[in-house]
Amino acid sequence: MKSVTAEARYVLQFINQTNCSVFLTGKAGTGKTTLLKEIIQTTHKNTVVVAPTGIAALNAGGVTIHSMFQLPFGGFLPDNSSPQFTDSSKFESRLTLRRHFKMSGLKKAVIRNMELLIIDEVSMLRADLLDAMDFMMQTVRKNNQAFGGVQVLFIGDLLQLPPVIREDEWRTLSRYYKGKFFFHAHVIEKSPPIYIELSKIFRQTDDTFISVLNNLRVNKITAKDIQVLNQFVQPKFDLKANKGYITLTTHNHKADTINAQSLADLEGEIFVYRSDVIGDFPDKIFPLEEKLELKVGAQIMFIKNDSTPEKKFFNGKMGIIQTLSEREIWVHFPEENMTIEVEKYVWENIRYTVNENTKEIEEEVLGTFTHYPIKLAWAITVHKSQGLTFDKAALDVADVFLPGQAYVALSRLRSLNGLVLLSPLQMNGISSDQEVMNYASNKAESVTLENTLHKETKNFIRNYLMTAFDWSVLLQEWRNHLYSYNEKTDLSFKTQHKDWAIKQWETLQQLTDPSHKFIAQLNKLFSEEVDFHFIKNRIFSAYDYFFPILDQLTHDILWQLEEVIRMKKAKAYFEELIVLEELQTKAVIRLMKAKQLIATVANGETISKESLSSEAIKTYRFTKAETVRQAYKNSHLSLIDEEEPSRYAKKKKQKEPKKSTVQETYELWLQQYTIKEIAAVRKLTVQTISSHLAKLIETETIAISAILPEDKIAALAQAFKDHKEESLGSLKEKYGDEFTWDELKMYQAARKSGLT
C-alpha cells in the first residue's frame, strides 16, 4: 500500500486494536481511498461500508446510509416530538422512527453483528442524519452507547464538498444543531472520534503548488499565491488546438454542452454502446450514463483504475479514441505513444447479510451494471471530479458557489504545468467554512495518538475478553422466550416445549455466577501490571470449563430446530428459536475468538483478520448443524432418506472467501456449467463470462478446444492467418456472422498464449 505513513499505520492499529471511533481526513491526493481498501481487506471486524449518496456508496463498495438503516428522506429531530410537515419540508423524530419504520430481519441481523461501520465521503454527511443512524443502531442493538457500541470510521475531507440543507429545513434544524456538518451531531459532541490526518501528498510533488493548495484549503491564500496562479490565466485558450485538456466547470449544463458540441464537431460515424443491467441495480446509482456515444478522435477519460498488474490507466487518465467497432473500443495515449483496448467493467449493487455459520457479515450481489469505464472528457463538473487525477485541466471556476470547490478543482492536477485558468479566481467565492477550520484544531498529535493507542489497545483486549464471558444478553433473550409461554397465543402448542426451555435457561443461569466471578478476576488482572501470559493461562482454563457447556446448549437448540422445522403451524416458534440460536452460536464463536486473541497477544503477534480466525471457528456452526442433523435422522430411522425440510428455513448459499471474478467463473466452468448458466448464476452478461473464458485461454488455464469445436477452430485459424492487427473489427467486418465476437476474441487469446 503506497500510503503506509505513520498516520496510516495509526489508523490501521486503531481499527484493529481498539474500539475507538476515528475520523480519517487528509488533503486531496493523500491516499484516503487506498487506505480505505486496505482496512476493508485486512480488518478482523465485521465491517459495513456506507456513504451519503448512491454513487459515493458504489465507489466505496458499500451501500447508502438510507438503505442500510432504513431511514426516510428528510430531516431528523433528535427528540421524541411529533414533527409538523409542510409541502416543502419533511421531518422525522425518534418517536416517528420508532413508531412507523419497520426494519427487515436481515438488516437487523447485520446491525446486531456489526463491529465496524465505515462512513465514506463524510464531508457530505449531515449532522441530523448521523444522529438518526445513531438512534437506529442503539435501538436495534439494544445498547445505549454511541452507535450501539459499534466502532465507526469516518472518512473524508471536510474542506471539500459540504452537506446540503435547504434554508427552510435549516430554520427548523437550527433549533437543535449548531451547524450542519457531521461533527455537529449530538452523538459526536458526546463521543468525539480520534482525529487523524494523512499529511503526505502523493498526487503532487511540486512544493510551490502544494503550498498554494494548502493555503487555499485553509482559507489563507496570499498575494504570492494569487501571483503564482495568475501566471496560468489564459481566457482565450484554444481547447480544440490543445488536445488532452479537460475543462472543469461548476455546473452540469456547462459540462454537458461542451461534451455534446465537441463530439458533434468531430467527423465520422457515431458508435453507441449501452450498459448491461442485470438483477436489481436502480438507475439512480448508475455510475455512468446508460448510453455512451463515441466517435474516433473523441477525448475520453477512465473512471476506474486498471486492476491488472500492468496498471495501464487510472481513474481520471485521459486518452483519445483511436478505433471503434461494434464490440471494440481502442484508446490511444499520445504522451506514452501507447494504445490499449478498453474492457468492460462490472459494478455491483450489494446488500449485507450475516453468514449463518460464522455470524460474519458478508456481501450479497443483488444486481450488476456492466459498461465501458470511460466517459467523454472535454469537460466535467468539479463535483464529479472528486477522486480523479488529471495531467492537464482548464479551470472554468469563476462562478464557484460552494466553499472548497476551487480547492477541489485545483487539487485534481498533478502539477502547475498542466494548469490553465480560463478566468482569474475570485477569492470572495472560495472561502472555507470557519467551523470546519475550528474543528480541524482537534487533530491529534503523534504523542497523543501513541498514548491513546496504548491505553485503548489494553481496553480493547480487556473488553473483548470480558464480553466473551458475559452472556447476559443471551440470558435475557431466554427470559423473554420463557415469558412468551405465559401468553395466550399458541399456548397449547408451546406448552409441550416449556420444560425443555426451562432446562436450557437453568443451564445457562448456572453459568452466571462463575462467569461474573471470572469477569471480576479479569478486571482485576487488567487493573494491575498486565501479564498477558498469565492471563492467557486463565483464559484457557476458563475456556475449558465453559466451552463444553455452551457447546452442548448449541447442540440442544439445533436439535430443537430439527424437530420444529418438521411441525406444521410452528413458524412463529421456529423464528423465536432462530433468534436464540443466533445469539447462542455467536456466544460460542466469540469465546473461541477470545482464546485466539489472547494467544495472539501473548505471543506478541499483530491482531488481524488471520490471527483472530481458524478453521474451527469458520466451520463451527456448519459442522455442528450437520452433526446434529445426521444424529437426529439416525434417531428417527424413517427420516434417513428424507429430503431436507424447508418449511420455515431460508435456503442460504455457502459463502466462500472472496475470489477474483475470473476465478469464480473458472470454478463454475469446472462444474460443467454452460456459459449461459454461469452468467445467470453470477448475474453477469454472457459477453462478460465469455471475456473471462478468453482470459483463461490466454493464461493457458483452459484450452480453446474445451469451448469451441475443432471445425470452428480450424476456420478461425484460416481467418487469422494473415491478420496482423490488434483490433478485430476488420475481421468481423470481413466474415460477418460466420464468427461471433466472442469466438474471435477467444481465438485471439489462444494466439497470444502461443497455443495456436
Side-chain angles (χ1 to χ4, degrees):
M1 187 184 73
K2 71 176 183 179
S3 55
V4 182
T5 59
E7 296 98 338
R9 275 195 294 272
Y10 275 125
V11 173
L12 289 165
Q13 289 173 315
F14 269 102
I15 294 303
N16 281 322
Q17 297 173 206
T18 82
N19 204 38
C20 294
S21 288
V22 174
F23 171 44
L24 167 64
T25 189
K27 306 174 184 72
T30 51
K32 296 185 293 295
T33 301
T34 304
L35 184 53
L36 165 62
K37 291 176 181 175
E38 176 78 3
I39 290 165
I40 293 169
Q41 289 170 0
T42 61
T43 184
H44 59 86
K45 296 180 179 178
N46 273 346
T47 304
V48 167
V49 182
V50 298
T53 67
I55 296 298
L58 200 63
N59 289 336
V63 298
T64 65
I65 289 168
H66 286 88
S67 67
M68 182 67 243
F69 299 103
Q70 214 138 315
L71 294 168
F73 289 96
F76 174 74
L77 307 182
D79 61 15
N80 290 308
S81 62
S82 296
Q84 301 296 311
F85 301 110
T86 67
D87 291 337
S88 59
S89 298
K90 181 180 179 182
F91 292 97
E92 303 294 341
S93 68
R94 290 175 184 158
L95 182 68
T96 58
L97 283 183
R98 189 184 291 117
R99 183 186 297 166
H100 299 304
F101 294 96
K102 305 298 181 186
M103 187 175 286
S104 69
L106 176 64
K107 286 210 171 103
K108 283 182 179 177
V110 170
I111 293 172
R112 284 197 300 265
N113 286 277
M114 192 189 304
E115 295 170 321
L116 171 64
L117 174 66
I118 299 177
I119 309 176
D120 198 23
E121 297 292 3
V122 77
S123 71
M124 296 186 283
L125 178 60
R126 290 167 44 154
D128 59 320
L129 180 57
L130 188 57
D131 276 337
M133 291 166 59
D134 172 52
F135 171 73
M136 293 299 268
M137 292 175 75
Q138 289 190 36
T139 302
V140 172
R141 291 172 64 88
K142 298 176 183 176
N143 182 328
N144 60 9
Q145 291 180 289
F147 303 104
V150 172
Q151 182 181 33
V152 182
L153 172 62
F154 304 91
I155 302 180
D157 183 357
L158 296 176
L159 289 166
Q160 294 194 22
L161 301 180
V164 176
I165 300 182
R166 298 195 314 271
E167 285 187 25
D168 56 323
E169 285 183 304
W170 184 242
R171 279 195 292 273
T172 299
L173 290 171
S174 62
R175 299 203 297 267
Y176 297 86
Y177 294 99
K178 298 173 186 174
K180 59 190 176 183
F181 289 95
F182 90 96
F183 56 82
H184 290 119
H186 294 188
V187 63
I188 296 298
E189 290 180 342
K190 292 176 186 172
S191 306
I194 301 290
Y195 188 129
I196 302 178
E197 182 173 342
L198 301 180
S199 57
K200 181 173 174 56
I201 296 172
F202 295 95
R203 184 175 294 145
Q204 294 92 15
T205 55
D206 175 21
D207 289 340
T208 301
F209 191 24
I210 289 173
S211 175
V212 171
L213 288 174
N214 286 345
N215 290 342
L216 180 60
R217 185 173 183 268
V218 298
N219 200 26
K220 292 182 179 176
I221 201 86
T222 66
K224 184 180 177 182
D225 296 328
I226 299 290
Q227 188 178 2
V228 169
L229 292 174
N230 280 344
Q231 297 175 60
F232 301 95
V233 175
Q234 298 185 57
K236 296 181 180 179
F237 185 74
D238 188 346
L239 287 160
K240 289 185 180 179
N242 293 274
K243 304 293 184 184
Y245 279 83
I246 186 168
T247 300
L248 267 65
T249 185
T250 49
H251 294 78
N252 277 310
H253 70 86
K254 284 186 177 182
D256 292 343
T257 300
I258 292 170
N259 284 325
Q261 187 58 54
S262 298
L263 186 67
D265 289 345
L266 288 175
E267 296 180 359
E269 178 187 355
I270 284 186
F271 283 79
V272 178
Y273 303 91
R274 297 184 182 276
S275 62
D276 294 299
V277 181
I278 296 178
D280 179 10
F281 204 109
D283 55 8
K284 64 185 178 184
I285 63 166
F286 282 2
L288 285 165
E289 293 293 328
E290 197 171 4
K291 183 171 74 170
L292 174 64
E293 294 186 348
L294 296 173
K295 287 182 181 179
V296 171
Q299 183 165 289
I300 60 90
M301 72 174 176
F302 287 82
I303 64 163
K304 297 299 294 183
N305 294 325
D306 183 2
S307 59
T308 68
E310 288 77 21
K311 306 295 179 193
K312 293 177 181 176
F313 57 87
F314 55 82
N315 194 3
K317 186 173 179 65
M318 310 278 288
I320 304 294
I321 298 294
Q322 186 179 75
T323 308
L324 293 172
S325 61
E326 179 192 346
R327 283 270 301 273
E328 286 184 323
I329 299 175
W330 288 82
V331 172
H332 183 64
F333 304 122
E335 293 185 1
E336 295 108 306
N337 193 25
M338 178 176 70
T339 304
I340 66 168
E341 184 180 4
V342 184
E343 294 187 1
K344 287 190 173 182
Y345 184 87
V346 179
W347 286 265
E348 295 177 342
N349 178 32
I350 66 163
R351 71 173 172 182
Y352 290 103
T353 60
V354 177
N355 184 301
E356 68 170 358
N357 295 316
T358 64
K359 303 307 173 189
E360 292 179 352
I361 292 175
E362 297 176 337
E363 296 174 6
E364 177 187 349
V365 177
L366 300 178
T368 58
F369 177 98
T370 305
H371 213 340
Y372 293 103
I374 58 175
K375 64 195 301 183
L376 294 177
W378 285 285
I380 190 174
T381 62
V382 174
H383 185 88
K384 290 178 181 175
S385 74
Q386 271 196 291
L388 302 181
T389 301
F390 301 124
D391 292 314
K392 299 176 182 178
L395 273 55
D396 175 24
V397 289
D399 300 326
V400 289
F401 55 91
L402 287 173
Q405 272 198 327
Y407 170 69
V408 171
L410 278 165
S411 61
R412 300 306 96 203
L413 278 157
R414 289 189 189 276
S415 73
L416 287 167
N417 293 334
L419 172 64
V420 170
L421 291 173
L422 298 178
S423 60
L425 288 177
Q426 301 300 313
M427 292 304 112
N428 59 347
I430 56 176
S431 63
S432 299
D433 195 302
Q434 190 55 46
E435 289 174 290
V436 173
M437 302 306 303
N438 294 339
Y439 183 64
S441 64
N442 292 313
K443 182 176 72 172
E445 299 299 328
S446 57
V447 174
T448 304
L449 287 174
E450 192 62 46
N451 292 338
T452 305
L453 178 63
H454 180 75
K455 174 186 170 187
E456 293 300 330
T457 297
K458 179 180 170 183
N459 287 340
F460 172 75
I461 296 167
R462 178 185 64 188
N463 293 336
Y464 196 102
L465 297 176
M466 289 169 62
T467 304
F469 292 90
D470 180 5
W471 303 298
S472 55
V473 173
L474 177 59
L475 197 61
Q476 183 58 52
E477 199 62 44
W478 273 106
R479 286 195 193 96
N480 297 343
H481 180 68
L482 284 174
Y483 181 77
S484 72
Y485 286 89
N486 298 324
E487 297 174 358
K488 293 181 180 179
T489 55
D490 290 333
L491 186 61
S492 58
F493 169 77
K494 290 180 72 170
T495 299
Q496 59 185 300
H497 302 285
K498 187 172 183 179
D499 289 344
W500 172 84
I502 290 172
K503 181 187 173 187
Q504 296 294 105
W505 179 80
E506 286 178 345
T507 301
L508 191 62
Q509 174 69 21
Q510 287 167 11
L511 296 182
T512 302
D513 188 49
S515 72
H516 284 174
K517 287 179 179 176
F518 184 66
I519 289 170
Q521 185 184 137
L522 279 178
N523 211 13
K524 186 172 185 299
L525 289 172
F526 273 93
S527 65
E528 303 164 351
E529 187 66 32
V530 179
D531 181 344
F532 283 119
H533 288 285
F534 180 74
I535 292 174
K536 173 187 169 183
N537 292 334
R538 298 301 306 128
I539 292 289
F540 276 41
S541 296
Y543 179 91
D544 291 342
Y545 174 77
F546 289 112
F547 181 81
I549 302 169
L550 290 169
D551 184 55
Q552 184 61 44
L553 286 170
T554 307
H555 175 281
D556 293 345
I557 197 167
L558 287 169
W559 187 281
Q560 186 75 351
L561 283 166
E562 285 296 319
E563 289 199 344
V564 175
I565 200 171
R566 292 170 171 82
M567 298 176 182
K568 294 180 180 178
K569 299 180 180 179
K571 184 177 181 182
Y573 181 50
F574 181 85
E575 289 178 349
E576 286 179 39
L577 292 178
I578 284 292
V579 172
L580 287 165
E581 183 272 324
E582 180 186 311
L583 288 171
Q584 177 65 43
T585 303
K586 190 175 173 182
V588 174
I589 290 175
R590 180 79 172 190
L591 192 62
M592 296 171 80
K593 285 189 173 183
K595 187 179 179 184
Q596 289 280 120
L597 174 65
I598 193 61
T600 298
V601 173
N603 293 336
E605 298 169 0
T606 303
I607 300 172
S608 66
K609 183 185 288 187
E610 290 74 24
S611 65
L612 260 64
S613 188
S614 68
E615 197 59 31
I617 290 171
K618 290 176 183 175
T619 61
Y620 172 77
R621 200 273 182 188
F622 178 78
T623 304
K624 198 77 183 169
E626 286 298 306
T627 303
V628 168
R629 190 172 294 122
Q630 197 55 52
Y632 186 88
K633 284 186 176 183
N634 290 340
S635 67
H636 298 72
L637 295 179
S638 61
L639 302 177
I640 290 294
D641 297 322
E642 174 203 52
E643 288 187 13
E644 288 301 311
S646 57
R647 184 175 284 118
Y648 312 122
K650 294 178 182 175
K651 290 194 181 284
K652 294 188 180 180
K653 294 181 286 187
Q654 275 296 105
K655 186 84 171 183
E656 295 294 326
K658 189 78 172 174
K659 305 181 181 76
S660 75
T661 186
V662 175
Q663 180 67 19
E664 288 188 44
T665 293
Y666 177 54
E667 291 183 5
L668 290 171
W669 175 262
L670 290 177
Q671 296 173 47
Q672 299 188 326
Y673 281 71
T674 66
I675 294 176
K676 285 185 178 179
E677 287 169 343
I678 296 172
V681 168
R682 300 207 54 211
K683 294 187 176 69
L684 295 172
T685 64
V686 167
Q687 182 184 330
T688 300
I689 300 304
S690 294
S691 73
H692 292 171
L693 294 176
K695 285 186 172 70
L696 291 164
I697 290 169
E698 188 173 344
T699 58
E700 303 180 30
T701 308
I702 292 178
I704 190 170
S705 57
I707 304 173
L708 301 180
E710 287 300 326
D711 59 337
K712 181 66 73 174
I713 295 172
L716 283 162
Q718 189 62 35
F720 271 85
K721 191 173 181 181
D722 298 316
H723 185 72
K724 306 296 183 186
E725 303 169 33
E726 282 279 348
S727 171
L728 298 172
S730 59
L731 274 181
K732 180 62 178 166
E733 189 174 339
K734 180 178 178 180
Y735 289 95
D737 294 336
E738 184 176 345
F739 306 117
T740 67
W741 274 102
D742 292 333
E743 288 167 347
L744 291 170
K745 285 177 178 290
M746 286 181 190
Y747 191 83
Q748 185 183 50
R751 285 182 90 193
K752 288 180 180 177
S753 73
L755 295 179
T756 59

